[in-house]
Amino acid sequence: MNTPFRLDDHPRRPHPLSAPPAGYFEQLPRRVMARVQPAEDAAPALGWLTRLPLPLRTALASTLLLGGFAASLILSVTPTSASATLAAVPQEELVQYLLANDARVTLADLADLSAAAPTTASYLHASPEELQRALDAQPTDDSYL
């Protein structure tokens, strides 16, 4: 349990604090303001911008923002699209990638491919017998039957 604190039990200092120097409180506001205000020679390089009226500064800022956005949009657009880039890849490399990657191409993938870009699936001409043999060679899981 805490002991009660009584201020009367603690005597004051025997000597009072020294008095402030003469005129200290009269000089204090000027000394504080001298420290707070920036020096005149440290003006920013864009001082002319602060002298412009507020509507003109706002218009300049919005123009710079829209110009930057338009420039980044123009510079980021590539002349070739993704489908043109994919069409530039040889078909043999695509087949080798699919075979080496153990990626199973399902009939749904082929159907989406032929519906999206019929020219890219033109090399997939298979007879019904070849398709049946390929389907029979696929492993089946009895849990789905």
Side-chain angles (χ1 to χ4, degrees), residues 71-119:
S72 67
L73 184 67
I74 289 172
L75 293 175
S76 68
V77 172
T78 58
T80 59
S81 64
S83 61
T85 306
L86 186 60
V89 177
Q91 293 178 359
E92 294 82 18
E93 287 185 23
L94 288 175
V95 170
Q96 289 301 323
Y97 172 75
L98 290 174
L99 291 176
N101 213 6
D102 289 336
R104 299 285 180 180
V105 179
T106 63
L107 290 177
D109 294 336
L110 293 177
D112 290 341
L113 179 67
S114 63
T119 58

Side-chain angles (χ1 to χ4, degrees), residues 124-144:
L124 297 174
H125 296 293
S127 67
E129 294 83 19
E130 289 175 335
L131 289 175
Q132 189 61 43
R133 272 187 271 134
L135 288 174
D136 290 340
Q138 293 292 322
T140 57
D141 191 6
D142 292 335
S143 63
Y144 293 115

